[in-house]
Amino acid sequence: MPDIVPLPPGYADWLTSLKSRIHQAQQRAALAVNRELVLLYWQIGQDILTRQAQQGWGAKVIDRLAQDLRAAFPDMKGFSPRNLKYMRAFAQAWPDADFVQGVLAQLPWYHHLALLDKLPSPEARRWYAAKAIEHNWSRNVLVMQIETQLQERSGTAVTNFEAQLPKLDSDLARESLKDPYRFDFLGLSAEAQEREIEHALVKHLTEFLLELGAGFAFVGRQVLLNVGGDEFFIDLLFYHLKLRCYVVIELKGGKFKPEHLGQLSFYLTAVDTQIKTEHDKPTIGLLLCKSKNKVVAEYALRDSAQPMGVAEYQLIESLPTELQTSLPSIEQIEQALAGDETTEEDPA
């Protein structure tokens, strides 16, 4: 058995540093490969569009092109007729070469297929593409966010942030809240009670954090506050890393009532006094209720001196039927492409 050579001082730290640098280099290489692939697909799509428009080439040319490209590059994936048609659709959807090169090339190819198949408007595609890049969404998370209509729900909670927070904080705080919040992943009936919902949200914390959005970090459930010898418990307490403040979330099982904000305001004062540090910004409150009258919520928030918002939550699936049935799933897209590839794997 060979003698064990003692490690020189600093070797462990050096090895850790080397591993980190190698991992980063691998990530940069993978991103570079993806970037070149997306740009190549866009250029091929542009060529197909140009020749079909200027020279009247029919759809049969794509079948022949797929055959010839696969014969010329047998080890390269992604040259099925269906994928070539996606390249054409990709180029048609994004005619700006600079935008494709500077922004869209950051997303993997299958992200682009989801954007093309599930979103009809360029504005929606651009919004979801930007969010996917900003938050590093996987393909499945991107599809989930599209299907749960994140864009329509973002920044729509009733708040008083504009009056109670500085401009930059107000804009970020407003965009950080939604209305309604979707809790259909909990598997609860519409009649579930507050404590039952609260328990299920903590049990499914990963999904809950994903629904809350980027920046939320979980602090605790039923957080104890001792005020003058009396004990009070916050339903859910979070910290928002971008806003640099605590966020108190209170759940109400019924319709919103103005007096609910009094309790929430009390909790905000207690958190600001007992938990918040000098480095934290004022605590924000979010009241989640089963339903609300928007005008009543606006009136109730108007005279509050603390930043608060009111939003609804949904416990059951509420995706419109036409959206559920008319859009292919990402698995269906992959299966269709795989069926065209015969001897090849997925183009991405």
Side-chain angles (χ1 to χ4, degrees):
M1 182 176 179
D3 295 335
I4 298 177
V5 180
L7 297 177
Y11 176 84
D13 291 340
W14 178 57
L15 178 61
T16 300
S17 175
L18 279 180
K19 289 179 179 178
S20 176
R21 282 149 56 188
I22 291 170
H23 180 63
Q24 291 173 5
Q26 289 175 326
Q27 287 183 318
R28 288 195 298 269
L31 289 172
V33 169
N34 174 76
R35 176 185 179 82
E36 291 302 318
L37 180 71
V38 170
L39 292 176
L40 172 65
Y41 283 179
W42 183 84
Q43 290 162 358
I44 292 174
Q46 276 291 341
D47 285 350
I48 294 172
L49 282 174
T50 300
R51 281 159 175 76
Q52 286 186 330
Q54 295 180 357
Q55 302 177 29
W57 290 5
K60 293 292 184 182
V61 173
I62 291 181
D63 295 333
R64 177 57 187 267
L65 180 62
Q67 178 182 337
D68 290 341
L69 287 177
R70 288 199 279 193
F73 302 97
D75 296 327
M76 190 170 180
K77 307 168 186 176
F79 290 138
S80 71
R82 187 181 294 268
N83 206 42
L84 289 174
K85 291 174 184 177
Y86 271 121
M87 295 177 204
R88 179 183 61 188
F90 179 57
Q92 190 171 33
W94 304 106
D96 185 347
D98 291 337
F99 184 70
V100 173
Q101 184 172 2
V103 179
L104 297 182
Q106 299 177 59
L107 290 174
W109 179 238
Y110 268 128
H111 283 59
H112 292 297
L113 300 191
L115 293 170
L116 290 171
D117 273 313
K118 292 185 173 291
L119 295 168
S121 73
E123 294 77 14
R125 290 172 185 158
R126 188 181 292 262
W127 191 90
Y128 281 100
K131 291 297 181 182
I133 294 169
E134 178 185 356
H135 303 308
N136 196 28
W137 286 341
S138 69
R139 177 187 58 198
N140 288 336
V141 170
L142 170 62
V143 171
M144 183 273 290
Q145 300 288 20
I146 293 172
E147 292 183 343
T148 59
Q149 301 174 297
L150 175 65
Q151 184 181 21
E152 291 83 353
R153 297 186 293 128
S154 294
T156 56
V158 180
T159 74
N160 62 358
F161 293 160
E162 187 173 356
Q164 300 303 328
L165 294 174
K167 174 64 175 173
L168 292 179
D169 290 344
S170 170
D171 291 345
L172 179 57
R174 187 177 64 254
E175 288 303 314
S176 297
L177 302 187
K178 307 171 186 175
D179 189 23
Y181 284 83
R182 293 172 52 92
F183 297 155
D184 48 283
F185 56 84
L186 299 179
L188 299 176
S189 69
E191 290 72 34
Q193 300 300 305
E194 296 167 15
R195 194 56 58 89
E196 184 182 2
I197 297 169
E198 176 191 315
H199 175 76
L201 287 173
V202 175
K203 185 178 179 181
H204 296 82
L205 188 58
T206 299
E207 294 90 341
F208 184 27
L209 287 171
L210 184 61
E211 174 62 10
L212 285 177
F216 283 88
F218 180 64
V219 176
R221 171 199 175 203
Q222 289 297 306
V223 176
L224 171 65
L225 296 172
N226 190 307
V227 180
D230 289 343
E231 293 184 344
F232 300 89
F233 297 88
I234 296 174
D235 286 347
L236 297 163
L237 183 63
F238 291 83
Y239 191 85
H240 199 284
L241 301 175
K242 293 183 178 180
L243 289 166
R244 308 303 301 177
C245 70
Y246 287 96
V247 180
V248 174
I249 296 181
E250 282 293 299
L251 290 167
K252 296 300 177 184
K255 187 175 181 178
F256 168 76
K257 297 178 181 179
E259 53 264 35
H260 293 157
L261 294 183
Q263 180 186 24
L264 183 57
S265 175
F266 174 79
Y267 289 155
L268 297 189
T269 299
V271 171
D272 280 341
T273 303
Q274 299 184 12
I275 301 177
K276 171 183 171 293
T277 72
E278 60 182 21
H279 304 293
D280 301 320
K281 295 181 179 179
T283 304
I284 288 174
L286 173 61
L287 186 80
L288 291 177
C289 50
K290 187 173 292 185
S291 64
K292 69 178 185 305
N293 181 312
K294 184 177 179 180
V295 176
V296 172
E298 289 174 346
Y299 274 41
L301 286 167
R302 186 174 298 173
D303 293 329
S304 174
Q306 294 165 302
M308 292 186 286
V310 179
E312 298 177 2
Y313 63 83
Q314 297 174 343
L315 292 175
I316 57 175
E317 181 77 28
S318 60
L319 188 65
T321 303
E322 62 272 15
L323 192 58
Q324 296 181 48
T325 57
S326 64
L327 297 176
S329 68
I330 200 68
E331 289 79 13
Q332 290 171 327
I333 295 171
E334 290 179 351
Q335 290 170 4
L337 285 176
D340 276 343
E341 291 295 339
T342 61
T343 60
E344 296 176 333
E345 298 177 4
D346 291 341

